[in-house]
Amino acid sequence: MSHARAISGGTVKMDYLCKMVCARSTVSSADVKAVLDSFVWAINLSLHNGQHVELEELGHFSPSLRTRPSADGKKMTVMVDGVNFRCSEKLKEELRNTELEHVKTPKKLTLDERQKRMLEFLERNKRITTPDYAELNDCSRYRATADLKLYVEKGVLSKIGGGTHVMYVLPINNE
């Protein structure tokens, strides 16, 4: 059994979009950025005022609401929880014509295979971080954190630092 899944080709940032718009118009990239900044401000203001925003060829924006009981439990408090986006029919139709390709899901590595890759990495580098491990083994940050914790418990690695500044090295008796 299989299912369709979109694989991201990366994230396009505002600066890149500004350069793209600039390249097909006579407007400078700085002017495009200024207009987009004002555009975001206007959408925010409209949503803040309880209005929905419709951009004809893009879609609709509306506030997402959440309710919670008040502290005394007698009333419900309503709050904005986020923003909903509903794509326009025109954009959906254009996206339906996108050429797709079939990509096989890569085989997940076993713990032993991930450990072997990590040890080979540590032969070339003095340390490894959680993001390094996750990228090396094509796994999530959560999987990387769990594996590295296990390696420390087994004595395969030593942990240095704390918080957001953690790195792992081979223990001195293994070097």
Side-chain angles (χ1 to χ4, degrees):
M1 181 175 195
S2 64
H3 65 278
R5 185 178 78 178
I7 299 173
S8 173
T11 301
V12 177
K13 303 275 186 169
M14 174 108 57
D15 286 343
Y16 182 74
L17 289 173
C18 291
K19 288 176 185 169
M20 287 176 61
V21 171
C22 175
R24 68 181 303 237
S25 69
T26 59
V27 182
S28 75
S29 184
D31 288 340
V32 173
K33 173 92 168 98
V35 168
L36 288 175
D37 285 341
S38 293
F39 193 65
V40 169
W41 171 84
I43 291 173
N44 185 15
L45 183 64
S46 299
L47 293 172
H48 184 78
N49 290 331
Q51 299 166 314
H52 292 204
V53 176
E54 178 183 356
L55 305 175
E56 285 82 19
E57 297 190 14
L58 186 61
H60 295 77
F61 295 85
S62 61
S64 170
L65 305 177
R66 176 174 46 154
T67 57
R68 281 199 167 152
S70 61
D72 62 9
K74 295 181 182 179
K75 294 182 180 178
M76 294 299 282
T77 304
V78 179
M79 55 184 39
V80 175
D81 189 39
V83 176
N84 294 322
F85 172 71
R86 193 174 69 242
C87 184
S88 74
E89 287 302 318
K90 182 174 182 181
L91 182 56
K92 277 187 205 175
E93 196 55 43
E94 288 179 17
L95 289 173
R96 282 189 183 105
N97 297 324
T98 301
E99 190 173 316
L100 302 174
E101 65 180 280
H102 184 265
V103 178
K104 290 190 177 188
T105 306
K107 178 184 150 247
K108 293 199 185 237
L109 299 172
T110 66
L111 179 65
D112 288 339
E113 290 169 327
R114 293 191 303 269
Q115 181 176 339
K116 183 177 182 220
R117 282 184 170 200
M118 176 197 65
L119 292 173
E120 289 170 356
F121 178 90
L122 287 169
E123 286 176 9
R124 299 182 309 274
N125 304 276
K126 294 187 183 287
R127 61 171 177 74
I128 192 166
T129 63
T130 305
D132 291 338
Y133 184 93
E135 183 179 338
L136 179 69
N137 290 301
D138 195 28
C139 65
S140 70
R141 188 175 178 92
Y142 301 106
R143 169 81 278 141
T145 300
D147 285 2
L148 292 166
K149 180 179 177 189
L150 181 64
Y151 299 144
V152 170
E153 290 169 0
K154 287 173 141 185
V156 176
L157 292 176
S158 294
K159 180 178 174 180
I160 298 173
T164 58
H165 301 355
V166 175
M167 64 179 93
Y168 299 87
V169 296
L170 292 170
I172 293 176
N173 61 355
N174 281 6
E175 292 186 321

